[in-house]
């Protein structure tokens, strides 16, 4: 099939990939509905995908991955910069020459008997000065159909690239034998190249997402004066109609999709407050002509965690999945070919197929201690389905950011909310983030680890240089820089229950954050930052949560924080000379304030 571009750099690279992987057939993805329909049909015929109920879930498909292939694999993810030093102490590294030499034989002939799909795509609205082009070659229809939702995919993406540019990210993916021993997710930042093999799970194979829009893009951003962050973007509309934009970085499965789509409590909606979603996972941020920081969402859909999503917790996410959505590793209700996952409702299907493919009696299976859906099962839903999608979603200039929020899962230590003293202190607050691990990556769940800016698995270069870049951006933005905050929805009581109701009620905390940005509310200075006066968090209409509960959620336990500074010191020690002196100073200042 003929190429869709005259760009010789693209064509030369695709030819090289064909010569390497030796597919029987090559199909260029033009993005047409006709072509996608043919692929959907083919995938359903081969059993790779399953068609769901056309009345209840029109255009929706089901897919299951192998039990050994259900999450990102951080231990098999590498940053292959020429110098080891440039990958830093938090990334796995291998010399690029060695890595190419190791992987080349694995890709040699891997697509024999298969079709290679060549996917042109844009991260960011086509025509946006912040957008970037990628080309992914893959032997997976599932990848094509997901990229069709998650990116601006098809021939139009080449318009942005033009006929001569070499500025595109080259992504090579083969599911190969889906062998966990041969699984590698490799970024070559200096070559604009990603090689992924032996996986078929989202974050490992939708190369526009974590591999490009975070790992490669963070490196590009450092060199080009912008930032690629693991952040949601939301617009908070006030009763006077004004919309303030906020980004928030939480680690994987820690609440970005939920916060981005929240429905405010009744008291707020009655007054006219609304939340609009610009993005739920990734933000590209760049200073605009007016000197403020602007953000675009490079994605075009949501690859969201299914379990826990329901009418009450996240109405908008659920509504987004009602058509043209792909479900991965959830359970099927065989009575009507719909989907189910934990906490969707209280009625697990009796005639169910669990995520691994076994036919089971849902309620009985759950009673035996099993889960019908994998904890990291996901939906891939088009952003245009979202009832609260922002009118600025496709704005090529992005939206101006007033506040940046960091947060994670901490049972103790971190209070409900606090504000940093400055951009530099805010950078420190981001750098010391810690959170309990989740099912989004393979490995133990619930273990507290440092996850600076929620970028530990996604920073494409030395984390010390990344922090220096943050500090540098603060200097560029000056007094127009967004204010930086930290939140924690996950403090628990002595029985391990979450104290804060979370979800829509997180609006109450956003309210205080916006007031702080506008300078309309006071704060209390604590050793770790500015905190609300407990009575300034609105608890009206909350069941069982009083201003005393808020005071409790805001306590800063000096002894715990002194312990915490030891952990930070240990973590910082990894960075040696690369630790920005400003952050060492912030740590020293924190220790002094704690006494
Ligand atoms: P990735 O897509 O992996 O980057 O995750 P995410 O940050 O978008 O996480 P998401 O919003 O999907 O939330 C993941 C889990 O956290 C779900 O099980 C939610 O139910 C739960 N969660 C989200 N917000 C809250 C909250 O405010 N309070 C509590 N207790 N749980 C929450
Ligand atoms: C995450 O793990 O942070 C995700 C899902 O958003 S994945 O695309 O698999 O990385
Ligand atoms: Mn994510």
């Amino acid at each position: 099939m003929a190429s869709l571009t005259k760009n010789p750099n693209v064509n030369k690279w695709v030819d090289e990939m064909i010569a390497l992987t030796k597919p029987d057939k090559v199909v260029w993805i033009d993005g047409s509905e006709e072509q996608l329909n043919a692929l959907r049909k083919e995938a359903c015929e081969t059993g790779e995908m399953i068609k769901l109920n056309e009345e209840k879930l029109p255009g929706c498909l089901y897919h299951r991955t192998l039990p050994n292939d259900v999450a990102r694999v951080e231990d098999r993810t590498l940053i292959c910069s020429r110098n080891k030093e440039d990958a830093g102490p938090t990334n796995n590294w291998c010399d690029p020459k060695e890595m190419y030499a190791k992987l080349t034989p694995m890709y040699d002939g891997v697509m024999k008997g298969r079709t290679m799909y060549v996917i042109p795509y844009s991260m960011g609205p086509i025509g946006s000065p912040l957008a970037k082009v990628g080309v992914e070659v893959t032997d997976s229809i599932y990848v094509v159909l997901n990229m069709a939702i998650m990116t601006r995919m098809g021939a139009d993406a080449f318009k942005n690239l033009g006929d001569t540019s070499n500025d595109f990210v080259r992504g090579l993916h083969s599911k190969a034998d889906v062998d966990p021993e041969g699984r590698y997710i490799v970024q070559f930042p200096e070559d604009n190249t990603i090689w992924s093999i032996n996986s078929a799970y989202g974050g490992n194979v939708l190369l526009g997402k974590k591999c490009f829009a975070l790992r490669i893009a963070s490196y590009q951003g450092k060199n080009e004066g912008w930032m690629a962050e693991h952040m949601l973007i939301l617009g908070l509309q006030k009763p006077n109609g004004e919309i303030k934009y906020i980004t928030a970085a939480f680690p994987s499965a820690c609440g970005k999709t939920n916060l981005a789509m929240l429905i405010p409590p009744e008291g707020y909606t009655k007054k006219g407050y609304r939340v609009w979603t610009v993005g739920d996972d990734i933000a590209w941020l760049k200073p605009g002509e007016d000197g403020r920081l602007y953000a675009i969402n490079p994605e075009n859909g949501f690859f969201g965690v299914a379990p826990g999503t329901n009418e009450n917790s996240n109405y908008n996410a659920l509504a987004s999945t009602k058509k043209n959505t792909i479900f991965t590793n959830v359970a099927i209700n065989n009575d009507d070919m719909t989907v189910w996952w934990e906490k969707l409702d209280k009625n697990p299907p009796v005639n169910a197929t669990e995520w691994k493919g076994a036919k089971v009696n849902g309620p009985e299976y759950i009673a035996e201690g099993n889960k019908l859906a994998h904890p990291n099962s996901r939906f891939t839903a088009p952003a245009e389905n979202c009832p609260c999608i922002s009118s600025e979603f496709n704005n090529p200039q992005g939206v101006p950011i007033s506040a940046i929020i960091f947060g994670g899962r901490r049972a103790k230590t971190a209070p409900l909310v606090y504000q940093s003293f400055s951009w530099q202190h805010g950078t420190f607050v981001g750098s010391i983030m810690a959170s309990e691990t989740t099912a989004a990556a393979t490995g133990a769940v619930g273990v507290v680890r440092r996850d600076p800016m929620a970028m530990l698995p996604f920073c494409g270069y030395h984390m010390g240089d990344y922090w220096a870049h943050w500090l540098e951006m603060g200097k560029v933005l000056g007094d127009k820089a967004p204010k930086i905050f930290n939140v924690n929805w996950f403090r628990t009581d002595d029985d391990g229950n979450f104290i804060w109701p979370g979800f829509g009620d997180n609006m109450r905390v956003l309210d205080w954050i916006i007031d702080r940005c506008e300078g309309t509310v006071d704060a209390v200075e604590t050793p770790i930052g500015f905190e609300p006066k407990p009575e300034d968090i609105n608890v009206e209409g909350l069941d069982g949560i009083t201003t005393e509960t808020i005071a409790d959620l805001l306590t800063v336990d000096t002894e715990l924080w002194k312990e915490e500074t030891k952990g930070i010191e240990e973590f910082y020690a990894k960075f040696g000379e690369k630790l920005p002196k400003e952050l060492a100073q912030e740590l020293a200042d924190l220790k002094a304030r704690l006494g």
Side-chain angles (χ1 to χ4, degrees), residues 58-70:
C60 292
L61 296 174
Y62 179 89
H63 177 75
R64 102 171 28 96
T65 61
L66 289 180
N68 73 39
D69 188 34
V70 293

Side-chain angles (χ1 to χ4, degrees), residues 285-358:
L285 305 122
K286 194 178 182 182
E289 271 166 23
D290 62 1
R292 295 187 65 190
L293 188 62
Y294 282 74
I296 64 161
N297 171 11
E299 302 190 282
N300 203 24
F302 311 119
F303 185 60
V305 177
T309 307
N310 61 51
E311 291 277 340
N312 296 318
S313 66
N314 197 345
Y315 169 86
N316 288 313
L318 193 61
S320 306
T321 67
K322 292 299 178 190
K323 60 180 180 190
N324 303 330
T325 292
I326 297 171
F327 296 92
T328 303
N329 296 335
V330 301
I332 296 180
N333 181 345
N334 296 306
D335 285 339
D336 63 354
M337 289 311 281
T338 56
V339 287
W340 195 87
W341 50 77
E342 272 61 26
K343 295 201 183 146
L344 172 65
D345 56 38
K346 297 206 168 81
N347 309 306
V350 174
N351 185 9
T353 301
E354 51 90 61
W355 69 271
K356 293 187 287 316

